[in-house]
Amino acid sequence: MKKTLLILAVFAMAGCTSVPSDIAGRQAFFDFDSAEITKPAKKELKKQALYMQKNPETKIIIEGRCDERGSTDYNLALGALRAGNAAHEIIYHGVESERIKTVSYGKENPIYPGTGEEVWSKNRNTTTRVAK
């Protein structure tokens, strides 16, 4: 019965959102000075949840990042909030919490080099990595 409900939930969610072929390196983006899940981020995280539903052996690490502005401590806390909120969004869509870990890099490990709003907006993200 539980397996049937899970399959039905996956099909119901699949009708709204396409399932990516892989989730490694996928990103959800955030507004400046915010850990609130935006509408585009919700769509992205729902896709990741669908992938995880279809691949029950997959475990992930969600990395929270920030742009270079602000103190190191502030950005570590903000990155942790972003990663935690992204994890909660995936859990909301039926993925077991034991399959998700979070880490915050704050501003210390930017993916995109440079400075200015175009780069800063890209570095305000969570990045999903598949755990080995």
Side-chain angles (χ1 to χ4, degrees):
M1 178 72 173
K2 190 174 184 182
K3 190 173 186 177
T4 303
L5 290 175
L6 176 63
I7 291 169
L8 289 173
V10 169
F11 282 119
M13 288 181 5
C16 301
T17 306
S18 61
V19 180
S21 60
D22 190 11
I23 59 172
R26 292 188 68 99
Q27 296 178 312
F29 295 93
F30 293 80
D31 293 333
F32 173 70
D33 198 27
S34 176
E36 183 177 332
I37 304 290
T38 63
K39 285 183 182 182
K42 279 183 185 275
K43 287 182 180 181
E44 172 57 37
L45 295 167
K46 186 174 183 179
K47 288 179 183 181
Q48 293 182 31
L50 281 169
Y51 176 89
M52 292 186 73
Q53 292 283 359
K54 287 184 72 173
N55 297 276
E57 74 289 347
T58 300
K59 295 182 180 184
I60 61 171
I61 302 166
I62 300 175
E63 303 170 340
R65 288 192 170 74
C66 302
D67 65 39
E68 65 186 4
R69 296 170 290 178
S71 71
T72 298
D73 289 341
Y74 177 81
N75 281 310
L76 283 171
L78 182 57
L81 283 172
R82 288 175 174 169
N85 288 349
H88 284 281
E89 188 68 22
I90 291 172
I91 292 164
Y92 172 79
H93 289 291
V95 176
E96 302 84 1
S97 61
E98 301 80 29
R99 297 173 55 199
I100 304 170
K101 293 188 181 191
T102 62
V103 64
S104 175
Y105 291 116
K107 65 179 185 176
E108 301 306 310
N109 188 9
I111 293 177
Y112 303 97
T115 192
E117 185 54 41
E118 186 176 335
V119 173
W120 293 336
S121 66
K122 291 178 183 177
N123 280 320
R124 295 190 298 260
N125 70 67
T126 57
T127 303
T128 299
R129 303 282 179 216
V130 176
K132 303 275 180 190

